Structure formats: structure tokens, C-alpha cells
Amino acid sequence: MRKTLFFTAFLLQTVFLFTSCVVEPSESVDQDRIFTAYELFYDKNENKTYAKATFRFGNVAGTLLQLGGTSEVKFNNDVLDYQSLGFYEKVYPGLVTSGTFTFKDAKGTVYTNVAPAMRAIDFPNTNLSVPRNASFTLNFAGDPLAAGENVGVLIGTELFLQINANTSSVNLSSNQLAKLNPGPYTAVMDRYRIADISQKASAGGVMTVKYRTGNKSIQITN
């Protein structure tokens, strides 16, 4: 199930980035065939929280939908604004750790989904020098992962994942590190949870809650 949800979220981002922005009005489609994707994302680098909703016809890879008629989507009773790239968003200053998304479709059916609580993470407060010819254990600051949580660390083109509960580290494998050239990098680390939403149309939907800590300078050495 977790691999399926991770793939769904990855596919959402890939489709969003690499398809043309073809959008249909939501009232023109079967309301029970609307796939919903919510995201609550805090970026410590900006000290901002993004509440986001995307609607597609049929499934995760379907045509983007723009809400019409009496349809609307809210987060904590704030209406999310439509963006030109085909999603809805509201940006909040500071950290918003949880909240409620509410979607009303063109038939007046209301779906309410609560975002699970976001939990912080941070890089260790030390200089990081990582050899590229051996695996490296990156210990993170923050509570150990709970069931369903994941951590991703992006260094250059390599994404390192930790999906196991009750862990407080990410293994930077030697196979991946060997693909990086020696030198300075900026590492990005996210703690996130992806889950099916409970109230949804038959097409389904997912919720992503993600905390991004401040980026970290890291040195890859021979």
C-alpha cells in the first residue's frame, strides 16, 4: 500500500511537470469521477506553509479540472485560489501543522478530510562531509519515524529514502553516492506522509503532508 501511495504521489508530480496544462471545467464531467489530491507543505527555507488541492478526471493521470459553478475547495475555511498551472493554493506565513480540506462538487456533495499532524525534522548541527566510496548513515534530528511516515534526502540528482518506522536515520548508499562527483552540494530533506483520503468520490484521492527543513551544505569527498 505504501509503495502504491508513493508511486501515486510521484506520478502526480511527474504528470504535473511534464504535461501541457489542458484543463476542463469540473461541472462538465461525472462528479463521481473526480480524483482529488491534497497537499499541506511547510518549507522552513521560506518559513511558509502551502495548502494545495489538485483535481483530475478519472485518476491521478487524468485531465486537470477547474472548479466551476458552485464548486469550491477550502482549507480551514479559507478558499483556495486557482493557479494558472491548474491547481488551487493558499500560502500561509509560518508553520501550519494541520488543518481541514473541504471540497464541494458541482452537485453540492461535500467531502471533508483532515490533514494528519505534520512533524518536524532537521539535519544534524554539524558539518557534513560524506565519502562517495562507502555508505553513510545520516542521523536526523526529530522524533523517530512513525508508521506511514517517510524521509527523503536529495543530494544532486540522487534521492535517498527511509521508509521504516522507528528509525532516526537515512542510509546514503555507496551505489548512489558513487554517482555524485566530489564537491559541494546543497542537500534537501523532507519528512512526509502520504495516505488515501477518507471522504472522496469513487475515483479516489490522496493526502500528502510534508515538512521540509532548512537546506544543508554538504561536501562529497573521494
Side-chain angles (χ1 to χ4, degrees), residues 11 16 24 26 44 47 50 85 99 102 106 123 136 159 165 174 186 198 215 219:
L11 184 58
F16 177 74
E24 291 186 13
S26 68
K44 190 174 181 180
N47 193 28
Y50 298 80
L85 291 177
T102 305
F123 284 103
F136 182 88
L159 177 62
S174 58
T186 298
S198 58
N215 295 343
Q219 186 77 21

Side-chain angles (χ1 to χ4, degrees), residues 99-144:
T100 301
F101 287 93
T102 305
F103 165 50
K104 181 173 71 174
D105 70 17
K107 288 186 175 181
T109 303
V110 177
Y111 303 94
T112 301
N113 289 276
V114 178
M118 186 184 301
R119 302 207 300 168
I121 194 171
D122 206 348
F123 284 103
N125 189 25
T126 57
N127 293 329
L128 284 177
S129 180
V130 178
R132 61 191 296 269
N133 59 359
S135 294
F136 182 88
T137 299
L138 176 63
N139 296 306
F140 59 78
D143 294 334

Side-chain angles (χ1 to χ4, degrees), residues 26-27 29-34 68-72 103-111:
S26 68
E27 66 269 30
V29 304
D30 181 350
Q31 299 299 286
D32 201 40
R33 298 293 298 145
I34 295 178
T70 59
S71 296
E72 64 178 7
F103 165 50
K104 181 173 71 174
D105 70 17
K107 288 186 175 181
T109 303
V110 177
Y111 303 94

Side-chain angles (χ1 to χ4, degrees), residues 186-208:
T186 298
V188 179
M189 182 161 61
D190 293 340
R191 181 178 193 145
Y192 61 96
R193 179 189 296 271
I194 306 168
D196 286 323
I197 55 177
S198 58
Q199 294 192 15
K200 57 196 173 185
S202 66
V206 295
M207 173 89 70
T208 302

Side-chain angles (χ1 to χ4, degrees), residues 2 119 144-151 162-164 191-193:
R2 292 178 65 188
R119 302 207 300 168
L145 293 185
E149 282 189 309
N150 310 277
V151 170
Q162 176 58 272
I163 64 173
N164 296 317
R191 181 178 193 145
Y192 61 96
R193 179 189 296 271

Side-chain angles (χ1 to χ4, degrees), residues 20-213:
S20 59
C21 193
V22 177
V23 181
E24 291 186 13
S26 68
E27 66 269 30
S28 68
V29 304
D30 181 350
Q31 299 299 286
D32 201 40
R33 298 293 298 145
I34 295 178
F35 179 92
T36 307
Y38 297 119
E39 182 178 39
L40 186 64
F41 168 45
Y42 173 69
D43 189 341
K44 190 174 181 180
N45 299 285
E46 301 176 341
N47 193 28
K48 293 178 180 179
T49 301
Y50 298 80
K52 178 178 173 180
T54 305
F55 302 94
R56 292 184 178 271
F57 178 64
N59 55 53
V60 63
T63 302
L64 284 166
L65 299 175
Q66 182 174 1
L67 303 183
T70 59
S71 296
E72 64 178 7
V73 60
K74 295 181 178 180
F75 178 75
N76 287 349
N77 292 318
D78 294 325
V79 175
L80 303 189
D81 299 319
Y82 182 72
Q83 308 297 315
S84 60
L85 291 177
F87 60 90
Y88 290 79
E89 185 179 63
K90 185 171 180 62
V91 183
Y92 297 88
L95 172 63
V96 179
T97 59
S98 63
T100 301
F101 287 93
T102 305
F103 165 50
K104 181 173 71 174
D105 70 17
K107 288 186 175 181
T109 303
V110 177
Y111 303 94
T112 301
N113 289 276
V114 178
M118 186 184 301
R119 302 207 300 168
I121 194 171
D122 206 348
F123 284 103
N125 189 25
T126 57
N127 293 329
L128 284 177
S129 180
V130 178
R132 61 191 296 269
N133 59 359
S135 294
F136 182 88
T137 299
L138 176 63
N139 296 306
F140 59 78
D143 294 334
L145 293 185
E149 282 189 309
N150 310 277
V151 170
V153 177
L154 180 67
I155 305 174
T157 59
E158 295 303 305
L159 177 62
F160 305 86
L161 295 174
Q162 176 58 272
I163 64 173
N164 296 317
N166 302 315
T167 54
S168 297
S169 64
V170 181
N171 178 54
L172 309 184
S173 71
S174 58
N175 288 339
Q176 289 181 265
L177 289 172
K179 298 176 184 178
L180 300 174
N181 293 323
Y185 289 84
T186 298
V188 179
M189 182 161 61
D190 293 340
R191 181 178 193 145
Y192 61 96
R193 179 189 296 271
I194 306 168
D196 286 323
I197 55 177
S198 58
Q199 294 192 15
K200 57 196 173 185
S202 66
V206 295
M207 173 89 70
T208 302
V209 174
K210 180 166 61 178
Y211 182 105
R212 175 170 294 169
T213 191

